[in-house]
Amino acid sequence: MINNLKKKVVVAMSGGVDSSLAVALLKEKGYDVIGITIHHYEGNENLESVEQVAQNLKIPWHVLDFTKEFKNIVIDYFCQEYLTGQTPNPCVVCNLKIKFGLLLEKVKSLGTDYLATGHYAINEYDRKSKKYLLKRGIDEKKDQSYFLYRLNQEILPYVLFPLGKLKKSKTRELAKKYGLKNYKKEESQEICFIRDDNYRKFLTQYIKDTVQPGKFIDKEGKILGEHQGIPFYTIGQRKGLRVSLNKRMYVIEINPQQNTITLGDDKDLYKDKLLVKDLNIISGDKLSKSVKIEVKIRYNSKKSPAIISPYGEDRVLINFEKPQRAITPGQSAVFYQGDIVVGGGIIEG
């Protein structure tokens, strides 16, 4: 066994089975493990559960209060994106700026060697290229590499993903073996700071004074009815439109400048190209020519073959082999070559 006795690692602990098992696995490998829980929004009180795990595994454990930073960086971004007709991806921003940003800075300042999380992804050093590679976790259903595409060569040397080569079923089995009482704990909700996954209720509480009703229109500009406010809709939405129509219609375009939402048929949702901004290539290399690649346009979509081409300074044009349904501005397009995450960016349109 590699001697890791002098290597210190901070594990970001949420109270769930994944981060708890990460602690157990790293301890078994000989690391000096410290647990840290980020208190980042009101209501994320899993502290009692985390404390029990820390005591059970006999590790020191601390709580960091990032509530102010989380509101300024993640929640404000989340609300602002919806106000401008975008559909945000708060997990991507949180991972980059909170977990592998502020928390990693804190970890380094403590003289610790690594930050570990319970993400299902793989981080490997490639001796040939002398660079770190971010890869998909082996569990197809749990792979979380999509949310980590903004990591880079400055961050990855300090990051461990102990669960990347495990399936979720194996995680629960091992957690039971290690005596972790949370081995049966249910999956956490989709967006951690939104209770009951009701983002409309959350937005109503946060930005109700800035939301204005407007008009539903068709592709010709004919008024079809009134919408409740730009933030409450996303591309591809059919349910909850609250407008009487004689056929199924979907949100196909959101125009915050005109405060209009265009409805159309399902076929209107399919496009074979899109622009991506805020580009991040994990290797640090510059995209200088067109490359054949696979792209995911949302976390739960399948990878689709495409050609990505440079388009100005910090953007790429993606041409898909097959049209994609409901390409949504504000979401992330993530690029893969096999199991390797090449990078990605924010869908512009």
Side-chain angles (χ1 to χ4, degrees), residues 59-204:
I59 63 163
W61 169 69
H62 309 280
V63 178
L64 292 181
D65 188 352
F66 280 177
T67 48
K68 182 180 177 183
E69 293 87 345
F70 189 79
K71 182 192 177 299
N72 292 341
I73 292 171
V74 180
I75 293 179
D76 287 355
Y77 145 82
F78 181 80
C79 296
Q80 189 58 38
E81 285 288 283
Y82 271 115
L83 279 170
T84 57
Q86 311 282 300
T87 301
N89 202 320
C91 295
V92 169
V93 173
C94 180
N95 280 329
L96 176 66
K97 297 188 176 180
I98 302 291
K99 289 177 185 168
F100 302 103
L102 295 175
L103 179 56
L104 183 55
E105 286 174 19
K106 184 70 174 176
V107 166
K108 288 180 181 178
S109 74
L110 294 172
T112 310
D113 298 288
Y114 299 108
L115 169 64
T117 69
H119 284 99
Y120 286 82
I122 296 169
N123 177 21
E124 288 182 349
Y125 182 71
D126 179 49
R127 295 186 183 279
K128 186 177 178 182
S129 65
K130 297 183 179 178
K131 291 186 177 181
Y132 285 83
L133 302 178
L134 178 66
K135 296 183 177 181
R136 289 162 52 86
I138 67 162
D139 190 328
E140 286 278 331
K141 292 180 180 177
K142 280 297 296 177
D143 166 52
Q144 292 168 304
S145 61
Y146 174 91
F147 296 113
L148 300 168
Y149 77 89
R150 299 208 76 86
L151 303 189
N152 55 40
Q153 297 301 309
E154 284 72 52
I155 295 172
L156 288 170
Y158 302 97
V159 173
L160 300 176
F161 298 127
L163 308 188
K165 295 183 179 180
L166 295 179
K167 295 210 167 185
K168 182 74 179 199
S169 56
K170 186 66 175 177
T171 293
R172 294 195 187 280
E173 181 187 317
L174 287 172
K176 184 178 181 182
K177 173 191 159 188
Y178 283 109
L180 301 176
K181 293 179 181 178
N182 59 5
Y183 76 94
K184 281 186 177 178
K185 190 171 182 178
E186 291 182 9
E187 300 289 327
S188 57
Q189 58 197 45
E190 194 168 324
I191 300 176
C192 66
F193 58 89
I194 296 182
R195 296 175 187 175
D196 306 320
D197 288 337
N198 189 342
Y199 87 93
R200 290 176 177 83
K201 182 179 178 182
F202 178 87
L203 289 172
T204 300

